[in-house]
Amino acid sequence: MHSLFQDLGLSVFSVCLQSSIGMIFFVAIFKFRYKKEFCLPAIIAAILAVIGVLSSFLHLGNPMNAYLTMSNLSSSWLSREIFFTSLYTGLVCAYALILYTGKFKGILTLACILSLLAGIFDLYVMSQAYISTSVPFWDSANTYFEYYLSAIMLGAIFFYTFTYKKISLNFYVFGIVILVLAGMLSLSYVLHGLGLSQGSLAAKQSASILFSYSSLILLISILGAMSIFYFLHKA
């Protein structure tokens, strides 16, 4: 049971941070495109980042010793992941707070840019933390690709959900972008699995486990596509 909560915490951490950083990516793009602020998406991004950080404590043996994970920044990618995730979370929370209170507006653009840059680099560090474990499934350049792609796709979904009624966003364009990203992500998983099947014994075992869930992955992909089409139709 404890192992289940640890794995769940790690999954929630990854998804929440990817969604948050993806939202800030679109907040920054549309901030400069429309010359206006997007308070609600920024607040949601901050909340997701905080949830992600808190859920990561479940993955630790003793959450009270969480501060010790940053004691080895010079050589540990896990320590760097915790540090840069905390940095990103602090910056995005500050950005959301400035938007919400209306104070210190002079540094809004700087706060937005710093949040975006910290988020982009945090995705790299999070990916590297997986790759450095030498687990065959993660020890690949695909990990970088899948991490960034997932962040952009989730960010697009969340950003559109909270802004399509406020500005004239073309939901067909957003829908196509989301579906293309989802297709690229699915293709990446397939190619990743095929690549593993040509590797070492451990890699082949990883590929076997991955493809054993192929039916479930296909079902989830179909349901996800149907959900996106339904949402766009209603929008």
Side-chain angles (χ1 to χ4, degrees):
M1 181 63 71
H2 181 62
S3 177
L4 175 62
F5 277 109
Q6 284 185 323
D7 293 339
L8 179 61
L10 187 59
S11 298
V12 173
F13 167 75
S14 297
V15 172
C16 284
L17 264 296
Q18 286 174 319
S19 301
S20 174
I21 295 169
M23 286 186 71
I24 289 298
F25 174 76
F26 284 98
V27 165
I29 288 177
F30 283 87
K31 167 185 169 64
F32 293 107
R33 171 66 178 82
Y34 286 92
K35 306 300 182 184
K36 63 182 298 184
E37 302 296 341
F38 296 89
C39 184
L40 182 57
I43 291 174
I44 298 298
I47 292 174
L48 285 173
V50 171
I51 292 174
V53 170
L54 293 178
S55 67
S56 69
F57 292 159
L58 295 175
H59 192 64
L60 300 175
N62 184 356
M64 298 303 295
N65 293 330
Y67 67 95
L68 295 176
T69 60
M70 290 190 288
S71 62
N72 197 16
L73 288 173
S74 61
S75 59
S76 171
W77 281 105
L78 178 60
S79 294
R80 295 166 188 164
E81 179 186 33
I82 298 299
F83 175 79
F84 283 104
T85 296
S86 300
L87 176 62
Y88 165 74
T89 301
L91 287 170
V92 75
C93 285
Y95 176 54
L97 187 62
I98 293 172
L99 279 174
Y100 181 74
T101 61
K103 299 179 179 179
F104 306 107
K105 289 185 177 181
I107 62 172
L108 263 177
T109 299
L110 177 62
C112 180
I113 293 174
L114 289 177
S115 297
L116 177 61
L117 293 177
I120 292 173
F121 190 70
D122 190 33
L123 286 175
Y124 168 77
V125 175
M126 290 168 69
S127 303
Q128 190 61 48
Y130 277 93
I131 292 174
S132 64
T133 61
S134 297
V135 175
F137 183 74
W138 295 330
D139 191 10
S140 165
N142 285 58
T143 301
Y144 296 117
F145 181 73
E146 290 160 6
Y147 243 84
Y148 280 100
L149 203 61
S150 297
I152 297 174
M153 182 184 71
L154 291 169
I157 294 172
F158 275 102
F159 182 80
Y160 185 82
T161 300
F162 291 107
T163 58
Y164 77 95
K165 289 185 178 180
K166 302 185 185 305
I167 58 176
S168 56
L169 294 178
N170 189 320
F171 55 81
Y172 289 111
V173 172
F174 255 80
I176 291 172
V177 169
I178 293 169
L179 289 175
V180 168
L181 290 172
M184 291 174 64
L185 194 58
S186 299
L187 179 61
S188 174
Y189 281 129
V190 172
L191 295 177
H192 196 170
L194 292 174
L196 288 172
S197 65
Q198 304 299 318
S200 64
L201 177 60
K204 290 178 180 178
Q205 291 175 338
S206 296
S208 177
I209 294 173
L210 175 64
F211 286 123
S212 68
Y213 291 98
S214 57
S215 298
L216 178 60
I217 294 173
L218 178 61
L219 177 61
I220 292 174
S221 299
I222 293 173
L223 291 175
M226 291 173 61
S227 300
I228 293 171
F229 273 122
Y230 178 77
F231 172 75
L232 293 175
H233 174 70
K234 289 298 182 181

